[in-house]
Amino acid sequence: MDFTMYVFPGILFIAILLFFYFVPVFLWLSALISGVRISLLQLVLMRIRNVPPKTIVDCMITATKAGLSDITRNDLESLYMSGGHVKNVVRAMVSATKAKIPMTYEQAAAIDLAGRDVLDAVKTSVNPKVIDTPAVEAVAKDGIQVIVKARITVRSDINKLVGGAGEETVLARVGECIVTSIGSADTHEEVMENPDNISKLVMDKGLDKGTAFEILSVDIADVDLGKNVGAGLQIERANADKNIAQAKAEERRAMAIAQEQEMKANKIKAEAEVVLAEAKVPLALAKALEDGNMGFVDYYKLKNLQADTTMREGFANGDNSKVTPVVDVQKNDVEDFFENNHDRHNVHKPKR
């Protein structure tokens, strides 16, 4: 069986496919019919440079039909090889031209290469965009929290898209201005009655300076009341003062207890000193008797005085157990004195 009759047609078919792939004749004819002048050699070179010829040709046809004759093939190829979005740039140029917005191809390419959506920017310039702010919480001077939501209408500024701040900056500035406006109000009722004061303050501040947008209006969408922050702060301050006062009182109490314990210790010390002093009295009496500085009559009178004092204290306290007959105490003490000291002082015991 002869396989050459099947192989040759296959090779020929593959060769034809490769030819039309690298030499897009039909694409060239389409461009020629649309009024776009481009050679087959340029299409082949695009394929070699990994640039899709269909994308470039379609964009050139669109630009030509829109009257954008200043956009060339080299511009589109350079933009594609730089990582730009060729279709978005061409469509943005067409939209800007139809809307009579002054924008050159260089501006559109620069905006696209800067990472912004140039087509969306042109649409925002034609149809302004509304940005809803998150809930902004602020406190008036009377301590009442006010929660405000605003709607910002912005329009893209083509000349500021490169290097201009984005939506986040606009939202931050508007939020800061709302907080300032509420904080400067004397009462929350003033904010509730005149929310347009916030809008006027925001518009007068010129918050769109340095951004890629032009603020057309700021409308207050919702105003709500929040917490009574002032009352909460007063309660916290009162609790803090109470805790401080309790701490100081506890400190004074601890000092008083310490002082009381110290006084008790001093009292015990004084009582001990009294006991020590009283313990020295008998020794002093004995030494006085021994030295002859005190007679037994004096000693008798002293004991009689002590017994009388003990008896009086017993009557005063209602304790009869402390009431001891004075005579017995005197008699016994005198007898004990003579028994213990008759040899030392050479005295005789009196007869009964």
Side-chain angles (χ1 to χ4, degrees), residues 159-279:
N159 297 323
K160 296 180 180 178
L161 282 175
V162 178
E167 294 183 11
E168 293 79 6
T169 303
V170 175
L171 289 174
R173 290 181 180 180
V174 173
E176 180 184 1
C177 195
I178 292 174
V179 172
T180 303
S181 177
I182 296 174
S184 60
D186 294 330
T187 62
H188 68 283
E189 296 176 352
E190 181 180 346
V191 180
M192 300 290 290
E193 293 174 358
N194 302 302
D196 56 332
N197 292 337
I198 301 176
S199 302
K200 293 178 181 179
L201 179 62
V202 173
M203 294 301 297
D204 293 340
K205 285 287 187 179
L207 302 180
D208 53 1
K209 183 179 180 180
T211 66
F213 301 97
E214 177 187 357
I215 298 178
L216 300 179
S217 66
V218 177
D219 304 313
I220 304 302
D222 187 20
V223 180
D224 293 327
L225 293 180
K227 300 178 182 178
N228 192 339
V229 179
L233 292 176
Q234 291 179 357
I235 292 174
E236 291 181 0
R237 184 180 301 174
N239 291 331
D241 294 339
K242 182 186 72 173
N243 294 333
I244 293 174
Q246 289 178 350
K248 290 183 178 179
E250 186 65 25
E251 182 181 0
R252 290 193 296 269
R253 176 176 173 274
M255 293 179 63
I257 293 175
Q259 188 175 5
E260 180 184 3
Q261 296 299 325
E262 184 178 358
M263 295 301 294
K264 288 181 179 180
N266 292 335
K267 177 183 177 183
I268 295 174
K269 181 179 179 182
E271 291 177 352
E273 291 179 352
V274 170
V275 172
L276 291 176
E278 290 178 352

Side-chain angles (χ1 to χ4, degrees), residues 7 14 23 27 49 57 101 116 158 180 203 214 226 233-234 238 258 273 275 289 316 350:
V7 174
I14 294 173
V23 184
L27 185 61
R49 289 193 293 265
V57 171
I101 298 175
R116 295 185 181 274
I158 300 298
T180 303
M203 294 301 297
E214 177 187 357
L233 292 176
Q234 291 179 357
E273 291 179 352
V275 172
L289 291 173

